Amino acid sequence: MSRVTTVLPGVLPGIRRARKEEREEISRLLGEAFMADPVSGWVFRDEEHRRAVHPRFFGVFLDAALRDGWVDVMEDRSAAALWLPMMVGETAGDGAGAGSGDGSGGASGGASGGGEDDGHDEMTEALAAADPGNERTRIVGELTALAHPTDRSHYYLPNIVAAPGRTGEGRGSALLEAVLERCDREGMPAYLEASNTRSKALYERHGFVFTGRTVDLPDGPPMWPMWREPRG
């Protein structure tokens, strides 16, 4: 029997950490939410194929987050945010605590400290394996890895989504604010790549600043690397 959560108009559900057993549901949420995204449309040109492979593709980020950092979800599972702590100059063990112990952080699939370049390589390979024969999965992984800052520790947001039909209701902002307040307390920067102008504007309202150079996919849409300094 499915659980039904009633949400009053104008009242957002609470936010909690995702559980590992919710992995499949969250991967489907990610897949559906990115169906109209311009970068996903470039990576997976056929809509039917995109819908089929999306949960597997975004599951790469989700598995990294559940393993090495944390995943925040709305109580009704209508929105989710994946966070990866990227710790510079620490061993993997030193960085493990950044995600409050329940997994979803480390640099791109397991580099929460120490071997950040190795972590990016692992993530790129995992993304390519999600859709064998589609070279664009590898290209997007390689180009975003090249743009990713490596000189300072930070919290990385690879994915934040609201379910189709639930965008524009403040879910993304609520998920962001919960972690950005933590960033401010800890003096920790945050980093992400915006894949469309609408999300870029949202991130700018929360203090993220475009780093100045887009990630340019070959004959495809741009992505905007964005950095947020903690507020004192």
Side-chain angles (χ1 to χ4, degrees):
M1 180 181 294
S2 62
R3 185 178 121 190
V4 177
T5 301
T6 300
V7 180
L8 297 176
V11 178
L12 291 176
I15 296 171
R16 62 170 173 80
R17 291 291 169 85
R19 298 183 290 270
K20 290 182 179 180
E21 58 267 28
E22 296 174 304
R23 190 252 183 218
E24 295 307 314
E25 183 177 3
I26 297 171
S27 69
R28 290 193 298 270
L29 169 64
L30 290 164
E32 285 296 320
F34 277 102
M35 277 299 296
D37 183 78
V39 173
S40 280
W42 177 84
V43 176
F44 309 106
R45 286 167 285 182
D46 179 77
E47 183 176 347
E48 184 176 349
H49 179 69
R50 188 188 318 147
R51 190 176 302 278
V53 77
H54 254 188
R56 186 163 66 247
F57 181 78
F58 287 102
V60 173
F61 299 105
L62 178 58
D63 289 340
L66 289 170
R67 180 180 63 243
D68 299 317
W70 73 95
V71 178
D72 287 336
V73 294
M74 291 282 182
E75 283 283 1
D76 63 352
R77 277 91 70 204
S78 63
L82 283 55
W83 288 94
L84 299 167
M86 311 287 275
M87 300 303 173
V88 174
E90 297 182 357
T91 65
D94 291 335
S100 299
D102 56 8
S104 101
S108 289
S112 62
E116 185 166 310
D117 289 339
D118 291 341
H120 283 306
D121 291 342
E122 291 172 9
M123 179 67 79
T124 298
E125 292 302 318
L127 292 173
D131 191 24
N134 183 356
E135 188 63 20
R136 293 188 175 197
T137 58
R138 183 183 301 278
I139 290 171
V140 73
E142 290 176 346
L143 292 181
T144 54
L146 286 172
H148 200 131
T150 59
D151 58 335
R152 293 177 63 190
S153 296
H154 57 276
Y155 292 154
Y156 173 42
L157 179 69
N159 305 128
I160 181 170
V161 298
R166 308 314 300 262
T167 60
E169 297 178 355
R171 282 166 167 75
S173 288
L175 286 167
L176 277 172
E177 288 166 2
V179 175
L180 296 181
E181 288 174 3
R182 172 181 172 178
C183 287
D184 293 342
R185 291 195 307 270
E186 297 178 1
M188 180 70 77
Y191 174 78
L192 54 81
E193 301 102 359
S195 59
N196 58 70
T197 54
R198 185 173 182 270
S199 63
K200 179 175 178 286
L202 169 67
Y203 302 138
E204 287 173 338
R205 291 197 295 272
H206 288 276
F208 285 88
V209 177
F210 173 44
T211 61
R213 184 173 182 177
T214 55
V215 173
D216 295 314
L217 302 172
D219 298 316
M223 300 175 72
W224 292 267
M226 304 187 76
W227 182 269
R228 181 187 184 274
E229 289 289 345
R231 295 172 175 173

